[in-house]
mmCIF file of all heavy atoms in Angstrom:
data_model
loop_
_atom_site.group_PDB
_atom_site.id
_atom_site.type_symbol
_atom_site.label_atom_id
_atom_site.label_comp_id
_atom_site.label_asym_id
_atom_site.label_seq_id
_atom_site.Cartn_x
_atom_site.Cartn_y
_atom_site.Cartn_z
ATOM 1 N N TYR A 108 -27.385 9.499 -7.688
ATOM 2 C CA TYR A 108 -26.880 9.302 -8.992
ATOM 3 C C TYR A 108 -27.938 9.295 -10.035
ATOM 4 O O TYR A 108 -28.889 8.614 -9.886
ATOM 5 C CB TYR A 108 -26.030 8.031 -9.037
ATOM 6 C CG TYR A 108 -24.904 7.931 -8.073
ATOM 7 C CD1 TYR A 108 -25.056 7.538 -6.794
ATOM 8 C CD2 TYR A 108 -23.571 8.310 -8.551
ATOM 9 C CE1 TYR A 108 -24.000 7.494 -5.892
ATOM 10 C CE2 TYR A 108 -22.541 8.244 -7.640
ATOM 11 C CZ TYR A 108 -22.653 7.788 -6.416
ATOM 12 O OH TYR A 108 -21.542 7.789 -5.465
ATOM 13 N N PRO A 109 -27.731 10.006 -11.208
ATOM 14 C CA PRO A 109 -28.787 9.979 -12.160
ATOM 15 C C PRO A 109 -28.621 8.692 -12.982
ATOM 16 O O PRO A 109 -27.549 8.331 -13.411
ATOM 17 C CB PRO A 109 -28.526 11.244 -13.050
ATOM 18 C CG PRO A 109 -27.029 11.442 -12.756
ATOM 19 C CD PRO A 109 -26.703 11.009 -11.466
ATOM 20 N N LEU A 110 -29.766 8.088 -13.366
ATOM 21 C CA LEU A 110 -29.775 6.943 -14.314
ATOM 22 C C LEU A 110 -30.637 7.303 -15.473
ATOM 23 O O LEU A 110 -31.897 7.555 -15.262
ATOM 24 C CB LEU A 110 -30.328 5.718 -13.577
ATOM 25 C CG LEU A 110 -29.475 5.230 -12.315
ATOM 26 C CD1 LEU A 110 -30.298 3.986 -11.779
ATOM 27 C CD2 LEU A 110 -28.124 4.880 -12.723
ATOM 28 N N THR A 111 -30.164 7.460 -16.694
ATOM 29 C CA THR A 111 -30.863 7.992 -17.833
ATOM 30 C C THR A 111 -31.123 6.749 -18.725
ATOM 31 O O THR A 111 -30.213 6.136 -19.142
ATOM 32 C CB THR A 111 -30.194 9.066 -18.530
ATOM 33 O OG1 THR A 111 -29.991 10.222 -17.470
ATOM 34 C CG2 THR A 111 -31.053 9.623 -19.608
ATOM 35 N N SER A 112 -32.385 6.636 -19.129
ATOM 36 C CA SER A 112 -32.723 5.538 -20.047
ATOM 37 C C SER A 112 -32.315 5.916 -21.457
ATOM 38 O O SER A 112 -31.945 7.004 -21.700
ATOM 39 C CB SER A 112 -34.191 5.241 -19.993
ATOM 40 O OG SER A 112 -34.958 6.378 -20.539
ATOM 41 N N ASP A 113 -32.514 5.012 -22.375
ATOM 42 C CA ASP A 113 -32.101 5.237 -23.774
ATOM 43 C C ASP A 113 -32.965 6.129 -24.533
ATOM 44 O O ASP A 113 -32.689 6.624 -25.607
ATOM 45 C CB ASP A 113 -31.868 3.864 -24.566
ATOM 46 C CG ASP A 113 -33.171 3.033 -24.637
ATOM 47 O OD1 ASP A 113 -34.178 3.508 -23.944
ATOM 48 O OD2 ASP A 113 -33.181 2.070 -25.230
ATOM 49 N N TRP A 114 -34.115 6.560 -23.840
ATOM 50 C CA TRP A 114 -35.006 7.513 -24.554
ATOM 51 C C TRP A 114 -35.049 8.821 -23.738
ATOM 52 O O TRP A 114 -35.958 9.626 -23.971
ATOM 53 C CB TRP A 114 -36.460 6.930 -24.819
ATOM 54 C CG TRP A 114 -37.172 6.679 -23.445
ATOM 55 C CD1 TRP A 114 -38.091 7.441 -22.826
ATOM 56 C CD2 TRP A 114 -37.174 5.475 -22.734
ATOM 57 N NE1 TRP A 114 -38.631 6.792 -21.716
ATOM 58 C CE2 TRP A 114 -37.963 5.640 -21.674
ATOM 59 C CE3 TRP A 114 -36.408 4.288 -22.813
ATOM 60 C CZ2 TRP A 114 -38.239 4.655 -20.672
ATOM 61 C CZ3 TRP A 114 -36.593 3.260 -21.937
ATOM 62 C CH2 TRP A 114 -37.533 3.500 -20.825
ATOM 63 N N GLY A 115 -34.138 8.979 -22.764
ATOM 64 C CA GLY A 115 -33.941 10.328 -22.106
ATOM 65 C C GLY A 115 -34.691 10.361 -20.774
ATOM 66 O O GLY A 115 -34.633 11.437 -20.173
ATOM 67 N N GLU A 116 -35.413 9.349 -20.265
ATOM 68 C CA GLU A 116 -36.057 9.468 -18.957
ATOM 69 C C GLU A 116 -35.146 9.277 -17.890
ATOM 70 O O GLU A 116 -34.292 8.290 -17.822
ATOM 71 C CB GLU A 116 -37.193 8.435 -18.937
ATOM 72 C CG GLU A 116 -38.057 8.595 -17.695
ATOM 73 C CD GLU A 116 -39.255 7.638 -17.763
ATOM 74 O OE1 GLU A 116 -39.563 7.207 -18.825
ATOM 75 O OE2 GLU A 116 -39.802 7.380 -16.639
ATOM 76 N N THR A 117 -35.165 10.152 -16.873
ATOM 77 C CA THR A 117 -34.228 10.082 -15.753
ATOM 78 C C THR A 117 -34.850 9.541 -14.457
ATOM 79 O O THR A 117 -35.960 9.828 -14.175
ATOM 80 C CB THR A 117 -33.587 11.465 -15.464
ATOM 81 O OG1 THR A 117 -33.000 11.932 -16.626
ATOM 82 C CG2 THR A 117 -32.669 11.439 -14.293
ATOM 83 N N ARG A 118 -34.049 8.756 -13.754
ATOM 84 C CA ARG A 118 -34.499 8.180 -12.442
ATOM 85 C C ARG A 118 -33.291 8.509 -11.526
ATOM 86 O O ARG A 118 -32.161 8.812 -12.003
ATOM 87 C CB ARG A 118 -34.677 6.725 -12.498
ATOM 88 C CG ARG A 118 -36.117 6.416 -13.228
ATOM 89 C CD ARG A 118 -36.301 4.913 -13.213
ATOM 90 N NE ARG A 118 -37.540 4.528 -13.695
ATOM 91 C CZ ARG A 118 -37.877 4.404 -15.041
ATOM 92 N NH1 ARG A 118 -36.989 4.847 -15.923
ATOM 93 N NH2 ARG A 118 -39.175 4.081 -15.385
ATOM 94 N N TRP A 119 -33.443 8.382 -10.304
ATOM 95 C CA TRP A 119 -32.493 8.725 -9.255
ATOM 96 C C TRP A 119 -32.216 7.546 -8.397
ATOM 97 O O TRP A 119 -33.058 6.936 -7.891
ATOM 98 C CB TRP A 119 -32.822 9.991 -8.412
ATOM 99 C CG TRP A 119 -32.854 11.222 -9.237
ATOM 100 C CD1 TRP A 119 -33.897 11.822 -9.794
ATOM 101 C CD2 TRP A 119 -31.709 11.915 -9.676
ATOM 102 N NE1 TRP A 119 -33.524 12.868 -10.589
ATOM 103 C CE2 TRP A 119 -32.132 13.018 -10.432
ATOM 104 C CE3 TRP A 119 -30.275 11.831 -9.356
ATOM 105 C CZ2 TRP A 119 -31.358 13.911 -11.014
ATOM 106 C CZ3 TRP A 119 -29.425 12.691 -9.960
ATOM 107 C CH2 TRP A 119 -30.005 13.830 -10.714
ATOM 108 N N LEU A 120 -30.913 7.147 -8.351
ATOM 109 C CA LEU A 120 -30.426 6.112 -7.518
ATOM 110 C C LEU A 120 -29.946 6.738 -6.355
ATOM 111 O O LEU A 120 -28.964 7.495 -6.251
ATOM 112 C CB LEU A 120 -29.368 5.197 -8.192
ATOM 113 C CG LEU A 120 -28.797 4.129 -7.381
ATOM 114 C CD1 LEU A 120 -28.546 2.877 -8.304
ATOM 115 C CD2 LEU A 120 -27.560 4.439 -6.696
ATOM 116 N N ASN A 121 -30.595 6.450 -5.068
ATOM 117 C CA ASN A 121 -30.270 7.065 -3.791
ATOM 118 C C ASN A 121 -29.570 6.047 -3.042
ATOM 119 O O ASN A 121 -30.087 4.938 -2.600
ATOM 120 C CB ASN A 121 -31.522 7.474 -3.101
ATOM 121 C CG ASN A 121 -32.422 8.384 -3.905
ATOM 122 O OD1 ASN A 121 -32.186 9.617 -3.887
ATOM 123 N ND2 ASN A 121 -33.384 7.927 -4.547
ATOM 124 N N LEU A 122 -28.247 6.355 -2.846
ATOM 125 C CA LEU A 122 -27.354 5.423 -2.082
ATOM 126 C C LEU A 122 -27.254 5.969 -0.636
ATOM 127 O O LEU A 122 -26.849 7.021 -0.319
ATOM 128 C CB LEU A 122 -25.915 5.440 -2.683
ATOM 129 C CG LEU A 122 -24.931 4.548 -2.020
ATOM 130 C CD1 LEU A 122 -25.245 3.094 -2.221
ATOM 131 C CD2 LEU A 122 -23.518 4.895 -2.598
ATOM 132 N N VAL A 123 -27.874 5.080 0.310
ATOM 133 C CA VAL A 123 -28.040 5.546 1.647
ATOM 134 C C VAL A 123 -27.087 4.881 2.561
ATOM 135 O O VAL A 123 -26.916 3.595 2.524
ATOM 136 C CB VAL A 123 -29.461 5.390 2.081
ATOM 137 C CG1 VAL A 123 -29.666 5.998 3.552
ATOM 138 C CG2 VAL A 123 -30.420 6.018 1.139
#
Side-chain angles (χ1 to χ4, degrees):
Y108 297 85
L110 301 178
T111 304
S112 67
D113 57 355
W114 67 95
E116 185 176 342
T117 299
R118 288 174 173 82
W119 291 98
L120 183 142
N121 303 276
L122 181 68
V123 185

